[in-house]
Amino acid sequence: METELFIGGTWVPASSARRFDVLDPATGDVIASVADGGEADAIAAVDAAAAAAPGWAATPPRVRGEALRRAFELMTERADELAKLISLENGKAVVDAKGEVTYAAEFFRWFAEEAVRVDGSVATAPSGANRILVTRRPVGVCVLVTPWNFPAAMATRKIGPALAAGCPVILKPASDTPLTALAMAALLAEAGVPDGVVNVLPSRSSGKVVAAMLRDSRVRKLSFTGSTEVGRILLAQAAENVVNTSMELGGNAPFVVFADADLDAAIEGAMLAKMRNGGEACTAANRFFVEAGIADEFARRLAQRMSALVVGPGTDERTQVGPLVNEDTVAKVDALVSGALEAGASAVTGGSRPSGPGFYYPPTVLTGVAPDSAILREEIFGPVAPIVTFTGEDEAVRLANDTEYGLVAYVYTGDLARGLRVSEAIEAGMVGLNRGLVSDPAAPFGGVKQSGIGREGGHEGLLEYLEPKYIALDW
């Protein structure tokens, strides 16, 4: 297991010689010590990426695609090994980790195929005076900043399109989960990606190293997945050099269930939308709005399903819900639930943090949640389902839209016309209609309002790393 920085195709220690510990969320024990990159290392990574940029941009699209295809094959071959690593440093149940590896690898396969689809156009100007030739060029050196909740998938969702487009990258992974990112660097090198095209910079000084790279005029793209609060700071820093940005930020997903919905399907969808990754997902259902006539039955059945889940170390094959990633995360979840209970909510199941080692929180269902509770305003990022009732379609849409976020929403109804009507009315970049899962490498993933800028996945994800170039000519 590599634990140094990966810069220019070489494993190197931090220039300061500093290191930081990576913890097992199930126990709090140290599992590895990783090189702690600083500002000098960040500039060294930019040097390496800038040196590799011309050659990679000139590499035939088919060759770039084949490297990504080989990376997909290597990830698939080593799925169990990668899943164990993800589970060890992130805490998620190994079954979730295996699902993440499959999902992550698909981004390499999708963008391996997209690499040869960088198109252009030729048209005649309306005046007839000249031709309009439009080509697409790689944007240049890219800084990719990824979160801890999907340490493999968030990396491949950015690396895949960047490499397909012909851009070199510097990946700054979350300091809670750097080991998966370093494993990805080794895998991509083995797949034939040239030195300097992929660089990985673990660091505890995230703000300083990213700021240093954004100040470098050679950096032309920033792609960030994380909180809206940090996204605002990075947008301001990127503005100094007018750096192209893509932002996948916070979410506060509504899960709306109408009385005419198939309740069995709605419960299954709720379990998937809420409990995928233990609730630590920006796409997780955060607010459950259930029509009053079925709310009690929905809460009872959801609580029954959630209370039956096996909680334990993520690396245990029997575990269905692992620990949260760190102390700050579990403390935040506990505070949100405690605040809701103090304001009058009731816990149908769960509702309090267990004693003992590890960053565990039990699957929890709350009813009677006050409309102004913080738990309805903030991303929970844990296995908690607060339920609020509504009495009509207009109220459901109003409640769903009562947030600064707009990443994803879920709607369950037996009336297709209503489903499409509500899906259009909800302010979100993505909607799962009678589905508890929306993520797909072939689909454009992203939000509106304060949930982000740009899209990842689909052909749109490739375009984020390309810039159109217009040439006026006659013939």
Side-chain angles (χ1 to χ4, degrees), residues 98-171:
K98 288 178 179 178
E100 179 183 346
V101 174
T102 299
Y103 177 53
E106 283 296 330
F107 282 106
F108 282 158
R109 176 155 68 170
W110 173 260
F111 286 109
E113 297 164 349
E114 285 292 292
V116 298
R117 300 193 181 108
V118 178
D119 56 5
S121 64
V122 179
T124 301
S127 67
N130 61 277
R131 298 295 200 275
I132 298 172
L133 173 65
V134 180
T135 63
R136 298 187 188 276
R137 301 294 300 163
V139 68
V141 175
C142 304
V143 173
L144 315 177
V145 184
T146 54
W148 47 260
N149 59 333
F150 287 92
M154 296 302 97
T156 62
R157 194 161 76 180
K158 298 180 189 297
I159 294 171
L163 266 57
C167 300
V169 304
I170 302 130
L171 174 65

Side-chain angles (χ1 to χ4, degrees), residues 300-325:
R300 183 189 68 79
R301 292 174 62 173
L302 183 61
Q304 185 179 48
R305 289 287 301 277
M306 288 181 65
S307 63
L309 294 171
V310 177
V311 179
T315 51
D316 188 329
E317 293 282 352
R318 296 166 297 180
T319 293
Q320 295 171 293
V321 182
L324 302 184
V325 71

Side-chain angles (χ1 to χ4, degrees), residues 51-291:
W56 187 241
T59 299
R62 179 68 71 191
V63 175
R64 298 198 300 257
E66 286 303 312
L68 289 171
R69 175 71 188 193
R70 178 58 180 152
F72 160 76
E73 293 168 349
L74 289 171
M75 283 194 75
T76 302
E77 291 169 9
R78 299 169 191 174
D80 288 347
E81 175 186 336
L82 288 168
K84 289 177 182 177
L85 180 60
I86 292 169
S87 182
L88 185 63
E89 67 173 346
N90 169 276
K92 69 177 65 180
V94 73
V95 64
D96 278 338
K98 288 178 179 178
E100 179 183 346
V101 174
T102 299
Y103 177 53
E106 283 296 330
F107 282 106
F108 282 158
R109 176 155 68 170
W110 173 260
F111 286 109
E113 297 164 349
E114 285 292 292
V116 298
R117 300 193 181 108
V118 178
D119 56 5
S121 64
V122 179
T124 301
S127 67
N130 61 277
R131 298 295 200 275
I132 298 172
L133 173 65
V134 180
T135 63
R136 298 187 188 276
R137 301 294 300 163
V139 68
V141 175
C142 304
V143 173
L144 315 177
V145 184
T146 54
W148 47 260
N149 59 333
F150 287 92
M154 296 302 97
T156 62
R157 194 161 76 180
K158 298 180 189 297
I159 294 171
L163 266 57
C167 300
V169 304
I170 302 130
L171 174 65
K172 210 316 263 166
S175 54
D176 284 311
T177 55
L179 301 176
T180 303
L182 294 170
M184 299 304 300
L187 185 146
L188 284 159
E190 185 179 346
V193 175
D195 294 348
V197 173
V198 174
N199 307 274
V200 179
L201 184 72
S203 175
R204 277 287 188 191
S205 304
S206 301
K208 291 181 179 179
V209 300
V210 174
M213 289 187 283
L214 291 178
R215 287 193 298 268
D216 192 310
S217 61
R218 295 171 295 176
V219 171
R220 299 312 311 148
K221 173 75 181 184
L222 168 66
S223 179
F224 170 73
T225 296
S227 72
T228 297
E229 292 75 17
V230 174
R232 293 188 189 111
I233 295 169
L234 293 178
L235 279 169
Q237 293 174 348
E240 292 296 321
N241 276 341
V242 195
V243 173
N244 182 317
T245 60
S246 298
M247 296 272 156
E248 195 265 281
L249 306 177
N252 191 9
F255 191 101
V256 181
V257 185
F258 288 94
D260 62 0
D262 179 331
L263 198 54
D264 290 336
I267 293 294
E268 290 298 329
M271 290 297 294
L272 182 56
K274 176 73 263 182
M275 295 308 298
R276 178 177 179 238
N277 211 48
E280 293 178 301
C282 57
T283 55
N286 210 60
R287 301 169 294 147
F288 287 79
F289 301 117
V290 185
E291 197 158 6

